[in-house]
Amino acid sequence: MSQSSLSSAVSSAGFSTFAEAKLSLEATLASYQALNTGDDTKKFLEICFRYLPPDGQVNLSEDVSGCRNDDELRQLAASIDTGLLRPLLSKGGKTPVITPSPRIGFHDSAENLNSLDITPASRNDQERLRRNCLRRDGYRCTITKTWSSSHDFPPGELFAPLQAAHILPFALGSFTNDDERRRTSEVWVSIFRYFPSLRSTLNMSPEDVNREDNMMMMMSAIHEEFGLFHFVLEDTPTPNRYRLKLFPRFASFYTHSLPSNRVVTLTSHDPRFHLPGAKHLQLHAAIGNILHASGRAESIEKLIRDLGETGDSALSKDGSTNISDLLSVSSLSLLASNSRPTDSKVQQQRARARLPGTENEKPRLG
């Protein structure tokens, strides 16, 4: 799939800036020295650049060029992984531990956002939002066009329970204490950095995840596949018309429910409510492509499975467990995100000392 299917073409006026950004990023990464065969920092940053929208590409290039050494490039890659990819994919209901970006101004941006009077998203409004989205989407799943089983439907038509699926996860607007609020702010700083139009054009804030333009009706099973980034909706030249892109982990059992031409058209049946936002879906598509092109999707899902299935063996006695990886997909909050990651053995000792008996707490996958 071409990059143009993910984002609007760069205008001629901005092309020189984009071209310079691409050359700058390539020049900086060309001299990067990998730590070992498993170090994919260079490849990962190149993949991020490929799928980000043009304004996000320029910002990423600036961040890469601003790194003073290879250590900072690795830290930048880790900050994107833990501060952007994992919060969107993890289902624990908590904002994960984040590696801070080495970018100058990251901490101040997070503090500024954290200081705003932002109301956390609430589940109390979910039923009203669900009714609004049902009316807007014509009481049908936006992907399969299956009718809602809770509404009258034509005889002989397929029907199923439908859910209101968030495009940007509800958890990104939900926090219950200062620590969660601070880390939620750090995630949004990364979102605004690499998807600037969400703030510059839409003036979005964390509480806006609970809004009709960030939601769409889906069959329960399709909703889960969407939340796991097993498929994405990529732009086409026609507004509100998207091409379905399936990834290898998409459950083949559901492929018969999808449109045969793999094209989804969003139509409003109630003009009072905005259609799912193109910029929201662009972010979801970009993250999905980065997750799968980089191999992060499989590794993060494996971490979630391991944390839920390994029991007492989740923390190895020999100190080999990567605690920061486990924490990045769980609801535990053991590591301060204001400092760089420490040695895994030290992390393991701290984890066991501070929360004895709870090292293997399962994340909530709902």
Side-chain angles (χ1 to χ4, degrees):
M1 192 67 62
S2 66
Q3 182 180 337
S4 61
S5 66
L6 285 173
S7 57
S8 302
V10 183
S11 67
S12 57
F15 183 76
S16 61
T17 301
F18 166 77
E20 291 168 3
K22 188 172 186 296
L23 289 172
S24 174
L25 179 132
E26 290 174 345
T28 302
L29 294 181
S31 61
Y32 177 78
Q33 297 294 315
L35 280 177
N36 49 52
T37 56
D39 182 0
D40 68 345
T41 297
K42 178 177 181 291
K43 176 186 175 183
F44 176 67
L45 292 173
E46 290 171 340
I47 288 171
C48 290
F49 184 87
R50 183 190 314 159
Y51 290 110
L52 289 177
D55 46 6
Q57 290 175 325
V58 170
N59 285 345
L60 176 60
S61 178
E62 291 179 357
D63 294 348
V64 168
S65 300
C67 289
R68 295 168 295 182
N69 50 52
D70 286 355
D71 283 343
E72 289 196 354
L73 284 170
R74 284 187 284 272
Q75 186 184 354
L76 176 64
S79 74
I80 295 173
D81 186 330
T82 61
L84 187 60
L85 302 189
R86 300 191 190 202
L88 286 163
L89 181 58
S90 296
K91 296 296 180 181
K94 300 288 185 181
T95 307
V97 175
I98 297 166
T99 299
S101 173
R103 174 175 63 86
I104 295 175
F106 172 83
H107 178 74
D108 289 342
S109 296
E111 288 300 313
N112 289 339
L113 184 59
N114 191 47
S115 67
L116 298 180
D117 185 19
I118 295 174
T119 304
S122 171
R123 293 286 187 187
N124 296 335
D125 211 24
Q126 293 301 94
E127 186 54 39
R128 180 187 66 82
L129 288 167
R130 182 179 183 277
R131 289 196 303 269
N132 293 348
C133 290
L134 273 170
R135 292 171 183 142
R136 181 200 63 197
D137 296 338
Y139 299 92
R140 302 178 79 177
C141 171
T142 53
I143 306 300
T144 67
K145 305 307 179 186
T146 303
W147 287 87
S148 168
S149 58
S150 64
H151 186 73
D152 293 336
F153 48 86
E157 293 285 339
L158 295 176
F159 62 93
L162 302 187
Q163 297 178 344
H166 287 78
I167 302 171
L168 275 68
F170 174 85
L172 293 186
S174 176
F175 47 86
T176 58
N177 56 53
D178 289 343
D179 185 56
E180 289 179 13
R181 181 189 179 102
R182 174 179 55 79
R183 284 182 285 147
T184 297
S185 295
E186 292 176 351
V187 174
W188 279 95
V189 166
S190 293
I191 290 174
F192 292 146
R193 180 66 177 169
Y194 301 122
F195 299 90
S197 60
L198 286 175
R199 191 170 202 178
S200 63
T201 304
L202 301 182
N203 196 31
M204 191 174 187
S205 69
E207 58 193 322
D208 292 327
V209 298
N210 229 17
R211 217 169 57 181
E212 289 87 353
D213 62 353
N214 187 48
M215 303 171 75
M216 50 204 306
M217 299 308 300
M218 293 185 191
M219 292 170 52
S220 302
I222 299 298
H223 178 188
E224 180 159 352
E225 297 293 298
F226 183 76
L228 291 169
F229 292 89
H230 290 170
F231 76 93
V232 297
L233 297 171
E234 294 188 326
D235 292 346
T236 70
T238 304
N240 299 317
R241 185 179 173 91
Y242 298 89
R243 185 175 294 105
L244 278 171
K245 182 173 184 179
L246 309 184
F247 295 109
R249 292 290 295 172
F250 183 84
S252 59
F253 182 82
Y254 305 123
T255 54
H256 70 280
S257 302
L258 304 177
S260 58
N261 63 356
R262 297 295 188 263
V263 171
V264 170
T265 300
L266 303 181
T267 304
S268 177
H269 296 264
D270 192 326
R272 292 177 298 171
F273 311 117
H274 292 293
L275 282 171
K279 298 297 184 183
H280 301 70
L281 289 169
Q282 182 187 65
L283 181 150
H284 184 273
I287 296 299
N289 276 287
I290 292 169
L291 280 166
H292 289 278
S294 66
R296 272 5 186 226
E298 183 177 347
S299 62
I300 295 171
E301 285 194 46
K302 184 177 185 301
L303 280 171
I304 294 172
R305 290 196 303 271
D306 287 350
L307 190 66
E309 296 174 0
T310 52
D312 290 340
S313 62
L315 292 181
S316 302
K317 291 180 170 56
D318 64 2
S320 63
T321 301
N322 190 325
I323 300 297
S324 62
D325 271 352
L326 285 177
L327 292 176
S328 72
V329 296
S330 76
S331 60
L332 302 180
S333 301
L334 304 182
L335 300 180
S337 61
N338 294 325
S339 59
R340 296 190 181 187
T342 56
D343 179 79
S344 61
K345 290 187 178 181
V346 175
Q347 293 169 356
Q348 178 172 327
Q349 292 167 357
R350 290 177 179 173
R352 285 177 170 146
R354 295 173 66 175
L355 278 180
T358 64
E359 298 94 335
N360 305 314
E361 177 183 335
K362 295 183 179 180
R364 289 169 33 234
L365 299 179

